[in-house]
DNA sequence: TGCTTGACATAAT
DNA sequence: CATTATGCCAAGC
């Protein structure tokens, strides 16, 4: 199994600060996989529960959970994000403009 | 070995 | 912002 690949993705996902979320594309770029956002999702799929990787901080470009929110993982991610003070919209999405993983300190809610 | 699928992104409308 | 069409790479059978 290509741990070198997943490892890069896990490393990047762990880089996501609490209370914020990053898109698959953003993680993919940080992991050195520009354009291969799918591989990020694939890696997270292989991600074991005992890995300690904050996979719940990874969402799609719409700021929404692609998983089935009607069952386990989907509901779990939302629950975990809520524990990070992340607010969901009525549409069940996250405002990337507010909770998006911005490396710059510039934040609409902070600045 | 080759086809199909997949926790997605981006461009155009 | 939502929808539709296309691209990308790796895993599964």
């Amino acid at each position: 199994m290509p741990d070198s690949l997943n490892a890069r993705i896990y490393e990047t996902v762990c880089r996501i600060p609490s209370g914020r979320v990053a898109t698959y594309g953003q993680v993919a770029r940080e992991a050195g996989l520009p354009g291969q956002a799918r591989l990020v999702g694939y890696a997270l799929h292989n991600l074991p529960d005992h890995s300690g990787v904050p996979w719940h901080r990874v969402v799609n470009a719409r700021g929404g959970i692609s998983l089935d929110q009607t069952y386990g993982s989907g509901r779990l991610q939302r629950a975990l994000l809520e524990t990070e003070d992340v607010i969901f919209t009525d549409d069940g999405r996250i405002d990337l403009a507010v909770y998006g993983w911005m490396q710059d300190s510039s934040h609409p809610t902070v600045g």
Side-chain angles (χ1 to χ4, degrees):
Chain A
M1 56 194 326
D3 289 307
S4 314
L5 193 64
N6 294 28
R8 299 188 67 82
I9 296 172
Y10 301 153
E11 286 281 335
T12 306
V13 175
C14 289
R15 289 167 59 89
I16 304 173
S18 178
R20 267 195 281 267
V21 296
T23 66
Y24 290 90
Q26 179 136 19
V27 174
R29 292 177 73 80
E30 288 291 330
L33 304 170
Q36 282 66 14
R38 315 196 64 167
L39 303 183
V40 177
Y42 206 99
L44 295 179
H45 177 73
N46 291 312
L47 193 65
D49 292 346
H50 59 80
S51 188
V53 177
W55 58 272
H56 58 266
R57 292 181 194 158
V58 186
V59 296
N60 57 26
R62 309 295 172 251
I65 299 171
S66 187
L67 292 166
D68 197 340
Q69 299 177 0
T70 56
Y71 292 119
S73 301
R75 272 191 53 74
L76 180 61
Q77 179 166 16
R78 165 144 184 178
L80 291 171
L81 287 172
E82 286 185 338
T83 65
E84 299 283 339
D85 285 330
V86 176
I87 306 301
F88 278 73
T89 68
D90 188 15
D91 293 336
R93 294 196 309 274
I94 304 171
D95 195 344
L96 297 178
V98 178
Y99 297 101
W101 181 28
M102 299 175 182
Q103 291 184 318
D104 284 346
S105 300
S106 304
H107 206 268
T109 56
V110 176

